[in-house]
Amino acid sequence: MDWNRQQRSPMPSHRYGDIFTKVPVAPVDREWPDRRITTAPLWVPVDLRDGNQALAEPMDPERKRAFFELMVAIGYKEIEVGYPSASQTDFDFVRLLATSDLVPDDVTIVVFTPARRDLIERTVESVAGMRGQVVIHMYAATAPVWRDVVLRRTRDELASMIYAGAEDILELAGDSVRFQFSPEVFNLTEPDFVLELADQLTKRWDATPERPVILNLPATIEAATPNVYADQIEYMHKNLPRRDGVILSVHPHNDRGTGIACAELAVLAGAQRVEGCIFGNGERTGNVDIATLALNLHAQGVDPMIDFSQIDRIREVVEHCTRMPIHPRHPYVGELVYTAFSGTHQDAIRKGFAVQGSGAWEVPYLPIDPADVGRGYEAVVRVNSQSGKGGIAHVLESVYGVTLSPDQERTFAQHVQRHTDGTGREASAEELKTLYEEVYGCSN
């Protein structure tokens, strides 16, 4: 039976190869498909560095400070605050943190640097006197295309550059900091090369459980389905030297629109730490959205270890600092994500509210209670031409205490349908009340 009549497109798909044509994906005896996430990973927001680099108008000092104070207030304990060798603004902001009381004792500050001595010197200078723990995060692009086209170095030459940077950090900062390395574009890098680098760096930096090294494995450009990234992470998890002295971290981007899935599967595969941006800002389609990741855990009964109970306030600060609006359909925080216009959805939600007690949350179409994130119930049901009698009755009852009989629900819905079809727009609660009074003479 000819049920699929799609035709070949004119797009030049033949120009592209899948990930298996670009890099070896080491076989792994998969355990991640059978695991469950039962605790939150360590969240590391990179809004002030990676997110800031992606803004048409980078944050000024006032905005950076407001964003930092928000992240501290809602519970982040490790925060990447800038790229101090890249701009005077970033350097000055790190110095502000080092010379003020803005950083609580239990918050770890992370600063970002390439593997180059002069830039490492500037980075170490920026964190001098910082209270609490400091992580110096060194990176280098390691994938073949980057080595050949961008850096123009062989594997051995690049490895030598990375090891020299590691020695420079050790010499210049020593015991005053902890160490992090990111093989940028990890997901397109040969796994044996990443293991070779990890072995040498953890040896040079003396990785131990008491002073662990962070190995951050970015999907800098998403290049495969999320299960492939999970396989790559599990392979590293199982084969890393000095594994008990390594914090395995991931940094997914969202080029394929699957950054959330990549991060969740990576945690199943052994990742202990996740870098990303609150609400997902970042180059191209963004960094992974660590607010959505955290609230996904909340919706599964797992404490996210971050406080999103006033999510609209968080959104206001993020929008102010980034100068970018958040989409109304963005998970958990969007203006419309707890709102039903469809009649069938409205009817199910109304019935769910009617029987919902104080036990487990089980209201159809609402994965979490909007009150958990500081939302009210007045916007859960809104009426337009797609709405049904149950939704209309719910609005009148919840807003004005007007209870319709079953017959009234049916007949009044027809009046509302004619009204919304005629106007072509949503009907407010006030409009519904006025229309009700026109039809029935007065409210009951």
Side-chain angles (χ1 to χ4, degrees), residues 31-33 35-37 41 215 217 229-238 240 243 246-250 262-274:
E31 295 182 30
W32 63 260
R35 295 185 181 136
R36 297 182 183 181
I37 301 176
L215 179 64
L217 303 177
Y229 188 54
D231 285 351
Q232 292 174 311
I233 297 302
E234 185 163 6
Y235 180 82
M236 292 295 148
H237 168 59
K238 290 182 172 180
L240 280 175
R243 180 66 185 90
V246 173
I247 298 170
L248 185 57
S249 175
V250 292
C262 281
E264 291 182 327
L265 297 192
V267 171
L268 292 175
Q272 301 155 288
R273 178 182 184 272
V274 177

Side-chain angles (χ1 to χ4, degrees), residues 96-401:
L96 171 66
L97 297 180
T99 57
S100 68
D101 60 358
L102 290 173
V103 183
D105 291 336
D106 63 347
V107 170
T108 298
I109 295 299
V110 184
V111 285
F112 188 75
T113 181
R116 210 175 88 188
R117 186 176 177 89
D118 59 329
L119 302 182
I120 291 168
E121 288 175 342
R122 181 75 167 158
T123 303
V124 172
E125 180 186 351
S126 75
V127 297
M130 186 79 70
R131 66 193 295 181
Q133 287 195 348
V134 174
V135 171
I136 292 186
H137 177 185
M138 185 182 75
Y139 82 97
T142 54
V145 173
W146 276 253
R147 294 195 309 257
D148 298 341
V149 175
V150 182
L151 301 174
R152 299 181 181 178
R153 293 175 184 261
T154 66
R155 265 179 58 154
D156 288 345
E157 290 169 341
L158 180 61
S160 295
M161 183 191 82
I162 292 168
Y163 302 150
E167 295 290 352
D168 290 337
I169 294 175
L170 196 58
E171 173 195 336
L172 296 167
D175 292 339
S176 66
V177 302
R178 288 175 46 222
F179 309 106
Q180 175 176 344
F181 175 66
S182 287
E184 189 187 3
V185 212
F186 153 78
N187 58 321
L188 290 172
T189 301
E190 306 94 332
D192 68 302
F193 187 35
V194 177
L195 287 175
E196 175 189 323
L197 295 172
D199 181 33
Q200 292 300 314
L201 291 174
T202 54
K203 187 183 299 180
R204 281 171 163 80
W205 285 338
D206 191 23
T208 64
E210 294 72 32
R211 194 185 180 195
V213 167
I214 301 163
L215 179 64
N216 186 52
L217 303 177
T220 307
I221 298 190
E222 268 200 304
T225 50
N227 60 295
V228 175
Y229 188 54
D231 285 351
Q232 292 174 311
I233 297 302
E234 185 163 6
Y235 180 82
M236 292 295 148
H237 168 59
K238 290 182 172 180
N239 290 280
L240 280 175
R242 301 167 196 87
R243 180 66 185 90
D244 63 349
V246 173
I247 298 170
L248 185 57
S249 175
V250 292
H251 181 121
H253 278 252
N254 198 42
D255 300 88
R256 292 169 50 91
T258 57
I260 295 288
C262 281
E264 291 182 327
L265 297 192
V267 171
L268 292 175
Q272 301 155 288
R273 178 182 184 272
V274 177
E275 294 186 353
C277 287
I278 303 173
F279 307 136
N281 174 44
E283 296 281 13
R284 304 177 310 279
T285 58
N287 292 279
V288 71
D289 178 345
I290 57 173
T292 296
L293 282 169
L295 288 167
N296 282 353
L297 292 183
H298 173 69
Q300 294 289 305
V302 177
D303 184 352
M305 310 295 281
I306 301 292
D307 182 6
F308 285 102
S309 61
Q310 297 299 320
I311 203 165
D312 288 332
R313 170 59 183 154
I314 298 170
R315 179 182 65 183
E316 288 170 4
V317 174
V318 172
E319 288 181 327
H320 166 74
C321 293
T322 62
R323 299 180 175 95
M324 292 195 308
I326 290 173
H327 195 283
R329 297 292 182 189
H330 194 109
Y332 299 108
V333 68
E335 179 188 354
L336 297 177
V337 296
Y338 305 105
T339 299
F341 291 102
S342 161
T344 54
H345 288 207
Q346 292 173 343
D347 183 60
I349 290 170
R350 183 190 185 196
K351 290 173 179 174
F353 273 132
V355 300
Q356 177 64 41
S358 59
W361 178 257
E362 292 184 346
V363 175
Y365 298 111
L366 293 177
I368 66 169
D369 184 344
D372 292 352
V373 291
R375 293 279 178 89
Y377 298 121
E378 64 278 358
V380 169
V381 172
R382 287 163 58 176
V383 174
N384 64 16
S385 61
Q386 304 298 310
S387 302
K389 59 183 175 61
I392 295 164
H394 173 79
V395 172
L396 285 176
E397 185 171 1
S398 62
V399 178
Y400 297 108

